[in-house]
Amino acid sequence: MAFTGKYQLESQENFEPFMKAIGLPDDLIQKGKDIKSLSEIEQNGDHFKVTVTTGTKVIVNSFTVGQEAELETLTGEKIKSTVNLVGNKLMVSLKGIDSVTEFNGDTIIATMTLGPIVYKRISKRI
């Protein structure tokens, strides 16, 4: 399955409670809640480069499926973890957050779970 492409955020659920739970300051939460972030995914075999641009903030993570890599979190912290590919889903756990990114045609559904809070983002290929 080819994941390469650019995807624009279309909708999200539980943004504010999730960002509060991970410790993002209220001013950044208010600034970020209405920004339609852009995700660019480059895939070369099992190697991925994911660039997420939200306003002026850019997070770039490069990893090879099944191998430990240093990944930047939403708060800017860098954590070593392993991303796994299960069918059409990229899955990783970072500091108690379970992240699943599901590719479905021209749609990406990203779900991040921290305890009882489930943050869901739906993006479309542009």
Side-chain angles (χ1 to χ4, degrees):
M1 185 167 209
F3 301 123
T4 297
K6 289 185 179 182
Y7 301 84
Q8 181 86 47
L9 179 67
E10 286 223 324
S11 65
Q12 57 188 357
E13 299 167 14
N14 289 327
F15 174 81
E16 289 184 62
F18 184 84
M19 295 304 159
K20 281 184 192 290
I22 64 170
L24 215 61
D26 285 344
D27 62 324
L28 291 180
I29 293 171
Q30 292 310 310
K31 275 190 217 172
K33 70 179 183 176
D34 296 319
I35 295 175
K36 298 293 185 195
S37 66
L38 180 68
S39 300
E40 183 173 0
I41 299 170
E42 298 172 44
Q43 179 189 7
N44 185 358
D46 282 343
H47 184 76
F48 286 79
K49 179 181 177 187
V50 180
T51 305
V52 180
T53 304
T54 307
T56 58
K57 181 160 179 55
V58 179
I59 295 175
V60 179
N61 282 315
S62 293
F63 58 89
T64 300
V65 170
Q67 295 182 16
E68 186 176 73
E70 188 174 77
L71 303 171
E72 185 176 347
T73 68
L74 297 171
T75 59
E77 188 175 356
K78 294 189 187 293
I79 298 172
K80 288 190 181 210
S81 194
T82 303
V83 180
N84 292 300
L85 179 62
V86 179
N88 64 336
K89 298 176 183 175
L90 289 170
M91 306 171 82
V92 66
S93 289
L94 298 167
K95 283 193 81 174
I97 299 169
D98 290 322
S99 175
V100 178
T101 303
E102 181 178 358
F103 296 87
N104 189 354
D106 287 338
T107 303
I108 295 177
I109 301 168
T111 307
M112 288 175 254
T113 305
L114 178 61
I117 302 170
V118 178
Y119 170 44
K120 185 175 180 180
R121 298 167 43 92
I122 298 174
S123 300
K124 297 276 189 195
R125 189 185 300 262
I126 55 172

